[in-house]
Amino acid sequence: MKIRLLNGEIYDVVRAEVTNGRLELDFQNKTAEELQDTFSVPALLTNIELLTDTEDKTGDVPGWTVYGGVMTLGDTKTVILTKAVNITEQRLADAEANAIAANSMAEVAKTMSTETATQVTDLQLAICELYEGMEV
């Protein structure tokens, strides 16, 4: 099982389950420090996508934006997330999430425009070679 955060980062998880009013995510190959750095940014957590191992989307768990800590049991680290109670805090997280999503979309658009420009240049060069070959 995998999850995708708002910035597009994908993580392997062993378990993703809502238990006792909190979202629990189990990880095997991450340190507690790495998990804390990742899950301490509320904007990245506004919508967590659930994915299969082949990265097909199976569902969403929105609104779990409050990092509650990491529990360690053997090799398994469990990230605990809860929902924000403060409306202002949620609005700030949503605004930051919108900014992150817009930035991701802008990067995709930039990449696509670069690829299109390269294709146009290649097409122009091919047309020039055709004209030269025809001795026009």
Side-chain angles (χ1 to χ4, degrees):
M1 170 183 261
K2 297 182 180 191
I3 61 168
R4 180 178 14 235
L5 301 183
L6 193 65
N7 63 354
E9 294 289 324
I10 296 176
Y11 299 93
D12 290 320
V13 295
V14 178
R15 178 180 68 101
E17 183 178 347
V18 176
T19 305
N20 297 324
R22 62 188 190 190
L23 176 61
E24 297 180 0
L25 303 169
D26 289 349
F27 295 85
Q28 289 277 323
N29 299 319
K30 296 283 183 187
T31 66
E33 293 79 17
E34 289 174 316
L35 294 171
Q36 180 178 349
D37 289 344
T38 300
F39 290 93
S40 292
V41 181
L44 295 178
L45 310 175
T46 55
N47 187 46
I48 299 172
E49 294 180 356
L50 302 175
L51 309 172
T52 63
D53 288 332
T54 58
E55 298 184 9
D56 295 321
K57 184 176 174 181
T58 59
D60 294 301
V61 283
W64 300 92
T65 58
V66 179
Y67 173 71
V70 175
M71 293 189 317
T72 303
L73 182 60
D75 291 337
T76 303
K77 284 34 166 225
T78 303
V79 172
I80 298 170
L81 301 173
T82 59
K83 291 192 175 193
V85 178
N86 186 336
I87 299 299
T88 303
E89 181 179 331
Q90 186 61 44
R91 285 184 184 167
L92 288 172
D94 289 343
E96 189 175 354
N98 290 339
I100 290 171
N103 189 35
S104 295
M105 285 187 267
E107 288 297 322
V108 169
K110 179 180 174 184
T111 301
M112 289 176 62
S113 68
T114 301
E115 290 173 4
T116 302
T118 301
Q119 291 171 352
V120 168
T121 301
D122 292 344
L123 184 58
Q124 289 171 335
L125 290 173
I127 290 172
C128 287
E129 288 177 12
L130 283 174
Y131 279 126
E132 288 174 4
M134 296 170 60
E135 297 180 9
V136 175

